Amino acid sequence: MKTQPFFLLAAAGLLSLSGCANVKPWQREHLADYTMRADRDPLGTAQAEHIWFSREEASGGRGVGGGGCGCN
Amino acid sequence: MNTSPLKKLTLAALLAGTFFTANAALKVGDTLPDLAGYKLEGPLPAGLKGKVVIVDFWASWCRPCAELFPVLDELQKKYGDRLVVLAVNVDEQPANMKKFLTRHQISFNVVRDSEQKLVAAAAPETMPTSFVLDGDGRVCFQHNGFHGEATRREYVSEIESLLK
């Protein structure tokens, strides 16, 4: 049966999707907390940047999505 | 057509996924469900029939919600008995709501949806979300978020249209 591998793969993909969580807008209290901010500690960020630059000879690119209450 | 069990299983999983992610959100044209069935903390305003009602879902950690509060307070004072503003808090901790309310003095009704059942039924897309209801409890307008003066003008226009 030629189509069996495709459907096995599709079934495996569907099962893996069950691991995703959708945080509802009214459940973002913890995401909105100050401690969830990536830039909450300027000194820590500067140190991490310095280490990153020294090791990788590159800087920046630390902006990431996520966190915050996602309001409005 | 000879359909293998595996194909049937995959199709069933897809359909189940679609069914369980379906969103039964409150929308314009719907009627607000009976609030008495949601175990809300705090006194529910009586005699909503015949009045314009604004139901606002808010949380203490949501900055636009705090910006919306003075506008709702102004509207409540402006329209008096003809308008009922009901702010539904969805904070996990009641202390956070109380702390917020000590900083924001308001003249309208606040209840807490401690089990988050009403908010789950309304399924707002963002915080804050408010629904403007007519005298029959039907949702006539919906506001996702708060956008300053533009939102305030919309509220006034909508309330005026419903009071005519």
Side-chain angles (χ1 to χ4, degrees):
Chain A
M1 201 160 53
K2 286 180 181 176
T3 54
Q4 194 167 351
F6 169 75
F7 282 103
L8 273 173
L9 201 64
L14 284 169
L15 281 174
S16 69
L17 283 177
S18 65
C20 299
N22 181 12
V23 182
K24 305 289 185 191
W26 58 92
Q27 296 171 333
R28 293 178 184 160
E29 180 169 356
H30 300 293
L31 291 175
D33 195 275
Y34 180 76
T35 54
M36 294 296 282
R37 289 181 58 165
D39 61 346
R40 67 187 181 281
D41 179 9
L43 182 61
T45 305
Q47 287 172 333
E49 278 287 347
H50 179 72
I51 292 166
W52 174 252
F53 176 75
S54 304
R55 196 173 58 188
E56 303 289 340
E57 203 179 349
S59 64
R62 297 179 66 84
V64 292
C69 77
C71 301
N72 256 358
Chain B
M1 195 173 82
N2 188 15
T3 311
S4 73
L6 200 58
K7 276 185 182 176
K8 287 178 183 170
L9 186 69
T10 309
L11 190 63
L14 280 169
L15 287 171
T18 308
F19 177 77
F20 286 115
T21 54
N23 198 350
L26 188 66
K27 57 188 180 302
V28 172
D30 291 348
T31 303
L32 186 74
D34 183 15
L35 298 177
Y38 287 92
K39 295 181 182 174
L40 300 172
E41 290 177 7
L44 285 171
L48 299 181
K49 183 81 178 168
K51 294 179 182 175
V52 176
V53 179
I54 296 177
V55 179
D56 170 47
F57 289 96
W58 69 282
S60 64
W61 42 263
C62 157
R63 187 167 291 181
C65 301
E67 292 171 2
L68 172 60
F69 261 40
V71 172
L72 292 177
D73 195 47
E74 176 202 329
L75 294 170
Q76 182 66 85
K77 286 173 178 165
K78 180 178 179 182
Y79 292 101
D81 290 343
R82 295 179 297 167
L83 173 73
V84 175
V85 176
L86 178 62
V88 181
N89 176 260
V90 298
D91 275 318
E92 288 180 19
Q93 302 296 327
N96 293 341
M97 180 189 80
K98 286 174 186 164
K99 190 177 171 187
F100 180 96
L101 291 175
T102 56
R103 293 199 306 266
H104 299 82
Q105 297 297 319
I106 47 163
S107 59
F108 51 83
N109 306 278
V110 177
V111 291
R112 182 167 166 266
D113 187 10
S114 57
E115 296 179 6
Q116 297 192 332
K117 285 184 177 174
L118 178 60
V119 71
E125 293 173 17
T126 187
M127 297 294 290
T129 289
S130 57
F131 301 92
V132 184
L133 282 57
D134 66 8
D136 295 322
R138 191 171 56 90
V139 177
C140 296
F141 305 99
Q142 180 177 342
H143 292 267
N144 295 332
F146 175 65
H147 308 285
E149 180 60 19
T151 305
R152 195 193 73 81
R153 279 201 300 267
E154 286 171 9
Y155 274 125
V156 171
S157 166
E158 290 159 7
I159 293 166
E160 296 282 352
S161 71
L162 290 172
L163 287 174
K164 279 179 185 170

